């Protein structure tokens, strides 16, 4: 695995987005890396997690927090802190995060 000290810049939804992916040192379970994005060189979002599901698919998890509530099955309920509002922007953003993840991890996983 190489460490990425550079960021990948894209233009999605009319805004500039810089993506930075940092592999986790201890990759236990499905989580493999952390990411951050900078929107229009003015707003940074950190705490984005990237993992690989049991089926082998890469997934992106936006920053969230535990609400202190439990669902009907007794599991903790989490609430997103920051997230894409439209389906189109979510797809563009997640595609770029996954592409940068694959480049940093030296893999070609879709």
């Amino acid at each position: 695995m190489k460490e990425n000290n550079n960021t990948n810049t894209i233009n999605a939804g009319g805004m500039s987005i810089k993506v930075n992916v940092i592999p986790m040192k201890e990759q236990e379970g499905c989580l493999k890396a952390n990411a951050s994005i900078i929107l229009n060189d003015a707003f940074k979002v950190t705490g984005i997690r990237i993992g690989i599901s049991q089926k082998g698919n890469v997934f992106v998890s936006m920053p969230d927090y535990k609400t202190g509530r439990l669902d009907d099955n007794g599991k903790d309920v989490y609430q997103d802190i920051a997230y894409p509002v439209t389906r189109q922007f979510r797809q563009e953003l997640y595609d770029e995060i996954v592409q940068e993840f694959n480049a940093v991890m030296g893999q070609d996983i879709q």
Side-chain angles (χ1 to χ4, degrees):
M1 270 180 285
K2 65 179 184 174
E3 183 153 336
N4 183 19
N5 293 325
N6 299 323
T7 56
N8 182 34
T9 303
I10 64 163
N11 189 338
M15 72 176 71
S16 164
I17 302 173
K18 293 180 182 174
V19 179
N20 187 25
V21 172
I22 301 168
M24 294 177 140
K25 293 188 186 304
E26 308 249 344
Q27 296 184 11
E28 296 181 16
C30 62
L31 293 179
K32 304 300 178 193
N34 290 303
S36 63
I37 59 173
I38 299 175
L39 307 173
N40 284 346
D41 290 324
F43 190 80
K44 184 173 186 175
V45 178
T46 61
I48 300 168
R49 295 176 308 278
I50 308 167
I52 301 177
S53 71
Q54 290 180 342
K55 294 182 181 180
N57 300 318
V58 176
F59 66 87
V60 175
S61 177
M62 295 302 287
D64 58 15
Y65 67 94
K66 196 183 304 189
T67 63
R69 297 184 316 241
L70 301 176
D71 66 12
D72 294 338
N73 297 322
K75 293 186 179 183
D76 291 315
V77 174
Y78 290 84
Q79 178 69 44
D80 286 340
I81 295 170
Y83 54 91
V85 176
T86 66
R87 180 180 293 152
Q88 178 183 352
F89 182 67
R90 177 188 328 266
Q91 189 64 52
E92 290 175 15
L93 178 61
Y94 285 17
D95 286 350
E96 290 302 321
I97 292 171
V98 170
Q99 180 180 340
E100 186 67 9
F101 170 75
N102 289 336
V104 168
M105 302 299 276
Q107 301 174 8
D108 188 26
I109 302 171
Q110 293 297 324

